[in-house]
């Protein structure tokens, strides 16, 4: 009988140790989840900033092309072609609406 009591006490200690470890792990998971949320927020902010910088960069390239910078002439030609296609599409839409 004494042997069973000792086994039970050891088992109880082991369960308590596992419960403590479980609490520590739960806290760690909670901390990691908070860290993930912070990093997601930072990632989103950096993504938005990156998009803004890309737009600014494109605008600067177009401005340089308008200045006559030979390096950006091809870009300017592509941009003009894109704008012409957009105007053509708008004109086609107007024709379709008026029919």
């Amino acid at each position: 009988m004494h042997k069973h009591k000792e086994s039970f006490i050891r088992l109880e200690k082991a369960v308590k140790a596992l419960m403590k470890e479980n609490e520590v792990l739960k806290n760690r998971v909670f901390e990691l989840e908070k860290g993930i949320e912070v990093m997601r927020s930072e990632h989103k902010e950096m993504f938005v900033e990156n998009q803004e910088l890309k737009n600014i960069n494109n605008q600067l390239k177009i401005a340089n092309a308008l200045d006559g910078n030979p390096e950006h002439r091809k870009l300017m030609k592509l941009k003009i072609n894109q704008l012409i296609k957009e105007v053509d599409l708008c004109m086609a839409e107007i024709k379709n609406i008026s029919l």
Side-chain angles (χ1 to χ4, degrees), residues 31-43:
E31 291 171 7
L32 290 172
E33 286 173 346
K34 283 186 353 186
I36 288 170
E37 286 304 314
V38 168
M39 289 186 173
R40 281 186 179 145
S41 175
E42 289 174 1
H43 177 263

Side-chain angles (χ1 to χ4, degrees), residues 43-60:
H43 177 263
K44 186 177 180 181
E45 290 172 12
M46 287 181 179
F47 180 80
V48 169
E49 181 181 356
N50 184 35
Q51 293 302 316
E52 290 172 359
L53 291 172
K54 283 182 180 180
N55 288 336
I56 291 170
N57 189 34
N58 285 334
Q59 290 172 359
L60 289 172

Side-chain angles (χ1 to χ4, degrees), residues 1-91:
M1 187 81 136
H2 184 63
K3 193 176 190 183
H4 292 300
K5 188 175 182 180
E6 286 178 11
S7 295
F8 182 75
I9 291 172
R10 278 196 309 253
L11 181 61
E12 187 177 17
K13 286 181 183 179
V15 168
K16 285 181 182 179
L18 287 173
M19 289 174 66
K20 283 183 184 180
E21 188 174 340
N22 186 38
E23 261 324 292
V24 168
L25 291 174
K26 281 182 183 179
N27 289 336
R28 181 72 177 133
V29 166
F30 180 73
E31 291 171 7
L32 290 172
E33 286 173 346
K34 283 186 353 186
I36 288 170
E37 286 304 314
V38 168
M39 289 186 173
R40 281 186 179 145
S41 175
E42 289 174 1
H43 177 263
K44 186 177 180 181
E45 290 172 12
M46 287 181 179
F47 180 80
V48 169
E49 181 181 356
N50 184 35
Q51 293 302 316
E52 290 172 359
L53 291 172
K54 283 182 180 180
N55 288 336
I56 291 170
N57 189 34
N58 285 334
Q59 290 172 359
L60 289 172
K61 284 180 182 179
I62 291 169
N64 281 335
L66 289 173
D67 267 350
N69 187 335
E71 295 176 17
H72 298 288
R73 282 188 185 159
K74 182 177 180 181
L75 173 68
M76 192 60 204
K77 287 179 182 179
L78 291 173
K79 187 65 176 172
I80 290 171
N81 286 338
Q82 178 188 0
L83 292 172
I84 290 171
K85 286 178 184 177
E86 287 180 25
V87 169
D88 287 343
L89 287 173
C90 290
M91 291 173 66

Side-chain angles (χ1 to χ4, degrees), residues 86-99:
E86 287 180 25
V87 169
D88 287 343
L89 287 173
C90 290
M91 291 173 66
E93 286 293 319
I94 291 172
K95 285 182 183 178
N96 286 338
I97 291 172
S98 59
L99 290 179

